[in-house]
Amino acid sequence: MKTDLNQIDQKYQYGFKDKIKPVYTTGAGLNENVVRKISAEKHEPQWMLAIRLRAFHIYQRMPMPNFGPDLSHLNLNKIHYFQRDSDHVSRSWDDVPDTIKNTFQKIGVPQAERKYLAGAEAQYESEAVYTNLKSDLKKMGIIFMDTDSALKKHPDLVKQYFGKLVGAATNKFTALNTAVWSGGTFIYVPKGVHATVPLQSFFRINAGNTGQFERTLIIVDEGASINYVEGCTAPTYSEDSLHAAVVEVFVKKDAFCRYTTIQNWSHNVYSLETKRAVADAHARMEWIDGNLGSKITMKYPSVDLNGPYASGSMLSIAFAKHGVYQDTGAIMRHHAPYTSSNVISKSICKDGGVCNYRGKEKIEPNSKHSKSHVECDTIIMDDQSTTDTIPANIVRNGDSTMEHEARVSKISENDLYYLMSRGLSEKQATKMIIMGFIEPFSKQLPMEYAVELNKLIDLQM
Amino acid sequence: MNAQVVFATVTGNNEKIADIICRKLKKLGVNVKEIEMFQADADEFQHADIGVICSYTDEGYLPDEGADFCDDLERLDLSGLVFGVAGSGDPVYREHYNSVVDDLSEMLNHAHATQGSDNVKIKLTPNHQDAETLNQFASQLVKVANKIKQN
Ligand SMILES: Cc1cc2nc3c(=O)[nH]c(=O)nc-3n(C[C@H](O)[C@H](O)[C@H](O)COP(=O)(O)O)c2cc1C
C-alpha cells in the first residue's frame, strides 16, 4: 500500500510545451477562403469541399449553445483553423521527427508503450504525423489510419459513412468541425474480424490557439469487434484553445465496439465534442469516458439502439477543480424491441469546480421490452463546488423499464476516521477514498491508462 | 396519402401558416394530421408520406419546446418522406431571420427525406400573397409525393 501511495505522490509532468513551428497555417479566423484552402492543401475530392462549404454556411448561421456553461469568452475569430507541422504522414518510427519523439518521452510514455504506439497512431497538431499499421492488423484486413489518409485511400468508405450520424446542423460546433476538420482516426473492421489488441491513438494540442477539429469514423462490420483507446494530454499555455471533435461509430449486426477516452486538457481548453454511435441488432456499443481537465467540457456521447437486442453503455468519470466546468452525460435512444442501456456516471468536484450530468434516455413506442438504467454518483469535496443532475427520461411504451439513481455525497467522515486510525494522513486517506470511488471506472482501462489516471487524479487532489 | 403537419408558435402566426397548408392539403385529398411540436413525435414522420414543419425562430434558436422533437428528427431514417419547411419570423432579427427554417430543412435532408418544395419564409402574419405562396408550396409537396409513390 505504502509504495502505491508513494508512486502516486510523484507529481505528473504534463505542463510543458514543445517548440514546433507549424509548416503550413491559414492564420487566425475563418472565412470561406480558409475552408477552400484547407481542402485544396489536402488535395481533397470535390465532394468533400462541397460538404465543407455547406457546413461553413450552416456554422455562420447557427447560434452558440443556449444551455450549460458560459461560452462567451470563447473567441472563435482568434483561432487558427488549420496548421500542420509535418508534410507527410510518417511511415515508420524512424521517420518520426525527433521533437515529436521527445514529446512522447516527456509525457512519460513508458518504453513498452512506445513499442505499443508503434502499432498505433500519434495525433500531433492537426494531423497524424505517425502512422504505422501493425502488420497483423493489416493481415486481418483492418484499416486503421488518420481520416485524411483514409479519404485518399478509401474514398468510397469515407463517403459512405462521413457525416451520416452527425449532421453539420446538429450544433454550431459540428458545423464548424465539418467545415474545417483535420486529422482524427479512421477504423474499418471487416465482417467477423476481432481486433485482439486495443487500437490506440495519442492526441495533443501543442501550439497555443491551435484549433483541433478531429474527425473520427469507426465502422465495425457484422460480427466484428474492436477496442479503441485514445488519451489526450495538453501542455499548459495561456491563450484559449478549442477542441471540437466529431466522432461517428457504426456498430453493425452482432458487432462490438468499446471506445475509451481519457481527456486531460490544460485549463484553458474548451472541449466541445459530439460523439454518436449506432448499434444494429444484437450489437453492443460501450463508451468509456474520463474527463479530467479542460476549462469547459461539453460532451454527451450517444448510442442509438436501432436493432432488436442491441445494447449500449456509458461509463464515465468527470473531475472538476477550481475554474473547471464539466457538463457531460450520455444519450441512449431505444428504437427497437429488447434493447438495453446502462449509464454509470461518476464525478468529483473540488475547490469550486462544477460537474453536471446532462443526459437523456428515450424508449420509443415500438421499443417494447427494453431496459434502461442510469446511475449518477457525485462526490462533492467542499462547499464551493457545485453539481447538478439534469436527466430527461422518456418511456413511450408500457412494457419497458427505466431506472434512474442519483447520489451526491461528501467524503465520509467515518471512512476518513477509519483510514486515519490505520496510520494514513488525512490527505492519503482522502486519496484512497477517491481511488476507491473511481475504481469501477479505472478497472475497465488498459493497465497503463489506469496508472496514468491515478497519476492524474493525484495531481489534481 | 398521409401528411403530418407540425407547428411551433407563441403568438399564433406559425399556426396560421400550418392551417393554410393543411387546408390546401385536404383540398388535394390528403389525410392531414396537424399537431404542435411539443406534442409531436418525430417517429411519426416515418409513417407519413408528407411531413411539414412550421416554426418560429427564437433569437436564432429552435423553439425550446421543440428540442426533443428536433433532436430525434436528425437521427431518423426518413428516406420515404417528402418534406417542406415554412416559418414566420421578423426581419429585424437580421441574420437570424427565420433561420430555424433553414436548420430544420438541413436536418430533414440529413435524415434522407426528400425536399418537395423550397423553404418558405414569411414576415410576421401571413397575408394574401403569403397564403398563395403556401398553397403552391402544399401543391408542390403533393406533386412530388405522387411522383415518388408512382416509382
Ligand atoms: C424573444 C424573441 C426572439 C425572436 N427571435 C427571432 C429570430 O431570431 N428570428 C426571427 O426571424 N424572428 C424572431 N422573433 C420574431 C418572431 O419569430 C415572430 O414574431 C414570429 O412571427 C412569431 O411567430 P408565432 O406567432 O408563431 O409565435 C423573435 C421574437 C421574440 C419575441
Side-chain angles (χ1 to χ4, degrees):
Chain A
M1 181 52 63
K2 260 231 147 73
T3 50
D4 277 347
L5 286 175
N6 282 341
Q7 263 174 10
I8 57 177
D9 261 333
Q10 290 168 3
K11 286 294 176 196
Y12 209 46
Q13 314 256 326
Y14 271 36
F16 59 87
K17 183 174 170 181
D18 270 340
K19 292 185 197 74
I20 294 181
K21 279 207 193 78
V23 172
Y24 180 85
T25 165
T26 49
L30 188 59
N31 55 49
E32 194 177 309
N33 257 345
V34 173
V35 176
R36 285 181 187 280
K37 261 191 201 157
I38 290 173
S39 190
E41 184 67 16
K42 291 168 177 288
H43 308 290
E44 287 181 347
Q46 192 61 33
W47 61 265
M48 183 54 81
L49 174 63
I51 288 179
R52 287 182 185 274
L53 289 174
R54 193 174 134 268
F56 173 68
H57 293 291
I58 295 171
Y59 163 75
Q60 281 182 304
R61 184 178 84 225
M62 288 198 110
M64 297 288 266
N66 57 353
F67 60 89
D70 174 16
L71 298 176
S72 60
H73 297 289
L74 174 61
N75 187 342
L76 292 167
N77 296 323
K78 272 196 173 169
I79 287 171
H80 290 262
Y81 286 91
F82 179 72
Q83 52 184 313
R84 66 182 182 189
D85 53 47
S86 170
D87 277 332
H88 60 282
V89 174
S90 304
R91 286 281 139 241
S92 80
W93 183 247
D94 287 344
D95 294 336
V96 175
D98 283 344
T99 31
I100 287 165
K101 284 183 182 162
N102 291 341
T103 304
F104 285 119
Q105 195 161 0
K106 280 196 222 155
I107 300 178
V109 179
Q111 203 66 41
E113 199 179 315
R114 271 181 241 173
K115 263 193 216 148
Y116 203 73
L117 278 166
E121 264 190 325
Q123 178 90 19
Y124 202 86
E125 291 289 316
S126 304
E127 273 180 66
V129 290
Y130 181 68
T131 304
N132 185 358
L133 197 63
K134 237 181 169 178
S135 63
D136 49 343
L137 289 184
K138 210 171 193 169
K139 267 182 232 146
M140 289 190 274
I142 295 174
I143 302 170
F144 180 34
M145 57 180 63
D146 64 280
T147 310
D148 293 284
S149 302
L151 181 57
K152 289 199 176 77
K153 294 189 182 141
H154 305 279
D156 295 343
L157 266 178
V158 174
K159 196 173 180 181
Q160 189 182 345
Y161 293 99
F162 187 98
K164 293 298 186 302
L165 278 186
V166 179
T170 298
N171 59 56
K172 191 170 185 80
F173 295 99
T174 57
L176 179 59
N177 176 287
T178 307
V180 302
W181 73 272
S182 205
T185 303
F186 178 87
I187 302 174
Y188 174 78
V189 191
K191 273 183 194 168
V193 168
H194 301 278
T196 43
V197 287
L199 304 190
Q200 302 199 7
S201 147
F202 235 100
F203 287 56
R204 307 191 60 213
I205 291 181
N206 200 275
N209 262 346
T210 302
Q212 289 276 305
F213 304 99
E214 286 93 3
R215 189 81 190 200
T216 290
L217 197 51
I218 299 180
I219 303 123
V220 193
D221 218 327
E222 291 180 12
S225 71
I226 196 199
N227 186 351
Y228 176 67
V229 186
E230 68 182 12
C232 317
T233 53
T236 318
Y237 37 84
S238 60
E239 291 157 280
D240 286 335
S241 216
L242 169 65
H243 183 89
V246 168
V247 175
E248 298 173 281
V249 184
F250 299 80
V251 193
K252 301 283 174 97
K253 189 166 154 285
D254 299 318
F256 171 88
C257 178
R258 171 181 280 199
Y259 191 119
T260 304
T261 306
I262 298 282
Q263 171 267 102
N264 179 30
W265 300 121
S266 63
H267 294 295
N268 56 324
V269 171
Y270 290 81
S271 177
L272 312 170
E273 300 191 18
T274 304
K275 292 180 160 179
R276 282 185 182 175
V278 56
D280 292 343
H282 294 275
R284 178 164 177 79
M285 174 68 204
E286 299 181 353
W287 294 109
I288 295 184
D289 213 284
N291 298 296
L292 302 142
S294 82
K295 175 192 188 99
I296 287 173
T297 300
M298 293 175 82
K299 177 160 60 168
Y300 322 96
S302 73
V303 184
D304 278 78
L305 300 160
N306 277 2
Y309 298 97
S311 66
S313 84
M314 165 81 163
L315 175 61
S316 67
I317 58 164
F319 185 97
K321 58 177 195 178
H322 179 70
V324 179
Y325 195 137
Q326 303 277 14
D327 201 77
T328 60
I331 299 171
M332 297 286 171
R333 291 155 184 282
H334 298 247
H335 305 289
Y338 302 101
T339 48
S340 62
S341 64
N342 192 35
V343 177
I344 297 176
S345 157
K346 287 178 171 280
S347 33
I348 302 160
C349 35
K350 184 173 185 275
D351 301 333
V354 184
C355 277
N356 288 344
Y357 175 83
R358 192 184 300 274
K360 180 164 166 177
E361 285 71 40
K362 188 166 182 189
I363 302 184
E364 301 289 356
N366 61 347
S367 183
K368 302 238 192 296
H369 312 291
S370 293
K371 283 194 298 246
S372 168
H373 180 86
V374 182
E375 216 175 298
C376 303
D377 216 350
T378 306
I379 290 187
I380 183 158
M381 296 186 68
D382 48 55
D383 295 336
Q384 295 88 57
S385 305
T386 53
T387 179
D388 206 352
T389 304
I390 308 146
N393 303 323
I394 303 152
V395 188
R396 296 191 125 136
N397 70 59
D399 307 317
S400 296
T401 60
M402 189 175 285
E403 296 161 348
H404 185 100
E405 296 169 40
R407 268 185 303 273
V408 178
S409 51
K410 298 205 163 178
I411 296 245
S412 145
E413 295 285 335
N414 281 346
D415 293 353
L416 263 188
Y417 181 79
Y418 172 78
L419 288 170
M420 286 163 72
S421 75
R422 292 295 178 103
L424 294 182
S425 71
E426 183 175 344
K427 203 173 158 203
Q428 285 170 324
T430 306
K431 237 177 250 176
M432 263 194 82
I433 291 167
I434 297 292
M435 294 300 177
F437 176 73
I438 65 166
E439 199 194 303
F441 179 86
S442 51
K443 127 178 142 197
Q444 295 298 326
L445 300 177
M447 214 258 281
E448 61 278 21
Y449 281 82
V451 170
E452 190 174 271
L453 176 66
N454 284 351
K455 287 184 187 170
L456 291 171
I457 291 280
D458 175 59
L459 179 75
Q460 314 230 16
M461 275 297 128
Chain B
M1 195 176 306
N2 294 305
Q4 171 107 359
V5 178
V6 176
F7 65 93
T9 185
V10 177
T11 55
N13 291 336
N14 281 283
E15 187 170 6
K16 280 187 193 129
I17 292 176
D19 289 347
I20 295 168
I21 295 168
C22 287
R23 218 174 296 138
K24 182 69 185 179
L25 287 173
K26 278 179 197 157
K27 251 190 217 158
L28 295 168
V30 179
N31 260 325
V32 182
K33 189 173 163 200
E34 188 178 8
I35 185 166
E36 267 200 85
M37 201 183 275
F38 72 89
Q39 290 179 319
D41 193 341
D43 280 36
E44 287 192 33
F45 271 172
Q46 276 174 322
H47 311 299
D49 304 298
I50 296 173
V52 178
I53 307 180
C54 310
S55 174
Y56 68 93
T57 299
D58 180 4
E59 285 173 355
Y61 295 95
L62 290 159
D64 251 350
E65 70 273 21
D68 203 43
F69 174 83
C70 298
D71 201 20
D72 285 352
L73 204 58
E74 249 205 327
R75 298 172 190 249
L76 295 172
D77 182 359
L78 299 174
S79 24
L81 186 81
V82 171
F83 78 87
V85 183
S88 157
D90 188 338
V92 301
Y93 289 89
R94 289 162 184 272
E95 79 268 25
H96 293 315
Y97 172 58
N98 267 318
S99 64
V100 148
V101 171
D102 296 328
D103 293 340
L104 286 165
S105 104
E106 200 64 57
M107 286 175 175
L108 284 155
N109 268 310
H110 182 253
H112 308 295
T114 306
Q115 182 149 10
S117 189
D118 287 346
N119 297 339
V120 175
K121 297 181 177 181
I122 286 167
K123 190 178 141 192
L124 300 166
T125 309
N127 57 27
H128 283 300
Q129 207 181 325
D130 295 327
E132 198 35 55
T133 309
L134 289 168
N135 284 337
Q136 278 165 18
F137 169 89
S139 311
Q140 179 67 19
L141 290 176
V142 175
K143 214 186 273 170
V144 174
N146 270 327
K147 214 179 262 171
I148 285 185
K149 274 219 149 160
Q150 278 158 20
N151 289 337

